[in-house]
Amino acid sequence: MLDLANALRRDLDRYSPGGKLPSSRALVERYRVSPVTVSRALARLVAEGLVVTRPGSGSFRAETVAAAPAGDTSWQEVTLSADAAAEVVPRAVDAAGVLVTLAAPPPGVVEFNGGYLHPSLQPERAMADALARAGRRPGAWTRPPTDGLPELREWFARGVGRTTGPADVLVTAGGQAALTTALRALAPPGAPVLVESPTYPGMLAIARAAGLRPVPVPVDADGVRPELLSAAFRASGARVFVCQPLFQNPTGAVLAPGRRPEVLRIAREAGAFVVEDDFARRLVHDDAGTLPGPLAADDHDGVVVHVSSLTKVTSPSLRVGMLAARGPVLERLRAIHVVDTFFVPRPLQEAALELVGSPAWNRHLRAVSAELRTRRRAMATAVGTDLAPLALTHIPSGGYHLWLRLPDRLDESALVAAALRAGVAVAPGRPYFSAEPPAGHIRLSFAGVAGAAEITEGVRRLRDACAELSR
């Protein structure tokens, strides 16, 4: 589709503004592609403002529109600065760390910086069937309950554990929205919030945008270190700790069994909440063995606010997630959730219910589990062979990425830039740290590529980038 869009874009100069383009049938024959490919390529040019379509008439080169004169927006600098000066902790709305995993690399570049499954791993047919069935349900387009459909809340609750019931669950527009609601509910602007170090950049962006002050707590191969967590609570006075106990992003660490009760005890003694981001449970590899349950399953005192989502294991566009909590905090979470989003669109919730209730769901989970294990092995083998100077200290059995430490002589920013020149996009490690990082790192995702062959080729290109910087 991209090749056809590029070809059509180059050919637009042949037509005068307002001129009619060849018919879709003519384009199919000329470029020997499918009608769907033509339709998608034209849609891309429409989105770029280069082409307009008129039902029943065809597609036309867009008329040239004179650019509006640029206004004077310099006043905004004064207004935004004054707003920041009035806050205890100025809000820093920086989405750079998130955009690294959302931006599609140029054509031909191996995508090791992605945060979602490659289209070949997404259950597109099952999702399409689920959406079609959902659309035929009576009332599918009516307003849903603000907390979410009862059947979907019940399904989510079963995945959390015996301490959580449907009444404790709110359906959210994905995991990012759930984390946003949780942090806004649990900490006032200017407050500290404890975070794992390193941690997911999207969560750091949420915290800073809310005017919160992230305080790092180091993790090792067994997850967050309890003694440092306890010290951080005492030193900062924080009342919230955000963690990913299972296949942590970016290290892949799993919180050790002996540390799980310690984390809950330390938070309870500090009078603090633990926000558990359980994003990777459905991304387990098929050689992982038995997984520990969520922290929320062992929580009897309402310490844990649990977050999970269907998005990572399905599609970036199936933005259906959940929040689970018990006690008075649930009412605050509910209020902020309603104010921010009203509710998650009912057709999406109905489609999610149809999907997870179909035989295709478990087949999809098994297929993803096996394929992620295959890709992880391929990447770990290639890294060990071609990138020996880069330290891979932990190979996770879940999630979709590897975390590599760079040798001191290798500059992180320079490597990221050299890698892109070599044809491979990697995620820099700096955005994963809320304070100064101990060393340079990169994160390599194996979920967003086509398969093992592309992984091997991408690592080879990364080796060439390292060699370029060593000359």
Side-chain angles (χ1 to χ4, degrees):
M1 186 274 289
L2 287 176
D3 290 342
L4 178 58
N6 291 334
L8 295 178
R9 194 182 293 109
R10 289 192 298 268
D11 287 348
L12 282 178
D13 288 339
R14 298 181 181 180
Y15 308 95
S16 59
K20 186 174 182 179
L21 276 62
S23 68
S24 295
R25 178 177 297 176
L27 293 175
V28 167
E29 295 175 354
R30 178 185 302 177
Y31 292 100
R32 298 184 181 278
V33 294
S34 71
V36 172
T37 299
V38 169
S39 176
R40 290 180 176 177
L42 288 173
R44 187 179 185 91
L45 298 187
V46 169
E48 294 173 4
L50 301 176
V51 169
V52 294
T53 57
R54 298 170 191 157
S57 299
S59 300
F60 302 81
R61 180 178 174 180
E63 300 279 358
T64 303
V65 179
D72 180 9
T73 60
S74 58
W75 63 272
Q76 294 183 3
E77 296 183 42
V78 178
T79 299
L80 295 174
S81 298
D83 180 58
E87 297 173 344
V88 177
V89 178
R91 290 173 293 173
V93 186
D94 181 4
V98 180
L99 290 174
V100 165
T101 62
L102 293 179
V109 173
V110 177
E111 187 176 1
F112 281 169
N113 63 334
Y116 296 102
L117 296 179
H118 187 269
S120 64
L121 292 178
Q122 296 175 22
E124 290 188 350
R125 176 65 182 271
M127 289 189 296
D129 291 345
L131 190 59
R133 293 194 301 272
R136 293 193 295 268
R137 284 187 172 190
W141 291 92
T142 61
R143 179 170 62 93
T146 54
D147 288 1
L149 297 180
E151 301 92 336
L152 188 56
R153 294 165 65 199
E154 181 179 3
W155 183 84
F156 273 126
R158 289 200 300 269
V160 180
R162 62 186 182 280
T163 62
T164 300
D168 304 320
V169 172
L170 305 176
V171 177
T172 66
Q176 187 80 355
L179 288 171
T180 300
T181 296
L183 288 185
R184 287 188 59 205
L186 300 177
V193 56
L194 303 189
V195 300
E196 295 172 313
S197 183
T199 193
Y200 166 53
M203 191 276 299
L204 294 177
I206 291 169
R208 289 169 176 148
L212 304 179
R213 178 163 50 89
V215 177
V217 184
V219 300
D220 59 22
D222 291 323
V224 69
R225 295 172 56 184
E227 75 280 7
L228 297 181
L229 178 64
S230 180
F233 272 125
R234 290 194 303 270
S236 67
R239 293 294 178 265
V240 180
F241 169 50
V242 186
C243 64
Q244 295 175 326
L246 188 66
F247 308 129
Q248 196 257 1
N249 183 7
T251 66
V254 176
L255 187 62
R259 294 186 181 184
R260 291 167 57 90
E262 280 291 283
V263 167
L264 294 178
R265 179 189 62 78
I266 290 166
R268 181 67 185 88
E269 290 178 355
F273 290 98
V274 173
V275 178
E276 178 185 25
D277 181 10
D278 200 21
F279 80 103
R281 184 165 297 275
R282 298 180 182 92
L283 296 173
V284 61
H285 305 168
D286 66 4
D287 58 354
T290 303
L291 295 185
L295 281 181
D298 299 324
D299 170 37
H300 302 283
D301 300 322
V303 171
V304 177
V305 175
H306 181 85
V307 172
S308 72
S309 170
L310 291 175
T311 306
K312 288 292 188 186
V313 77
T314 56
S315 161
S317 292
L318 187 62
R319 304 208 65 78
V320 177
M322 60 87 82
L323 274 168
R326 291 183 297 112
V329 71
L330 181 60
E331 189 54 41
R332 183 179 293 187
L333 290 164
R334 178 181 289 116
I336 291 179
H337 166 65
V338 169
V339 167
D340 282 352
T341 62
F342 284 9
F343 46 78
V344 176
R346 184 165 193 146
L348 267 186
Q349 294 192 54
E350 297 278 11
L353 261 177
E354 288 283 353
L355 178 64
V356 300
S358 71
W361 176 243
N362 285 329
R363 289 198 299 270
H364 168 65
L365 293 181
R366 288 193 297 270
V368 169
S369 180
E371 181 62 20
L372 288 179
R373 182 253 304 157
T374 298
R375 292 170 176 227
R376 181 204 74 212
R377 286 182 175 175
M379 180 171 278
T381 299
V383 166
T385 301
D386 291 338
L387 298 174
L390 279 61
L392 175 59
T393 57
H394 177 64
I395 300 177
S397 55
Y400 53 87
H401 54 263
L402 300 181
W403 181 242
L404 279 66
R405 177 168 175 155
L406 307 184
D408 293 339
R409 59 179 175 76
L410 199 54
D411 179 81
E412 179 182 299
S413 298
L415 177 58
V416 171
L420 197 56
R421 289 194 299 272
V424 57
V426 303
R430 182 64 185 87
Y432 292 82
F433 293 91
S434 61
E436 287 300 316
H441 292 79
I442 57 172
R443 196 194 75 160
L444 305 182
S445 168
F446 45 79
V449 294
E454 191 171 4
I455 288 172
T456 302
E457 172 62 17
V459 172
R460 185 196 64 77
R461 295 181 185 184
L462 188 54
R463 180 198 64 195
D464 292 345
C466 292
E468 174 193 327
L469 297 178
S470 300
R471 295 190 189 110

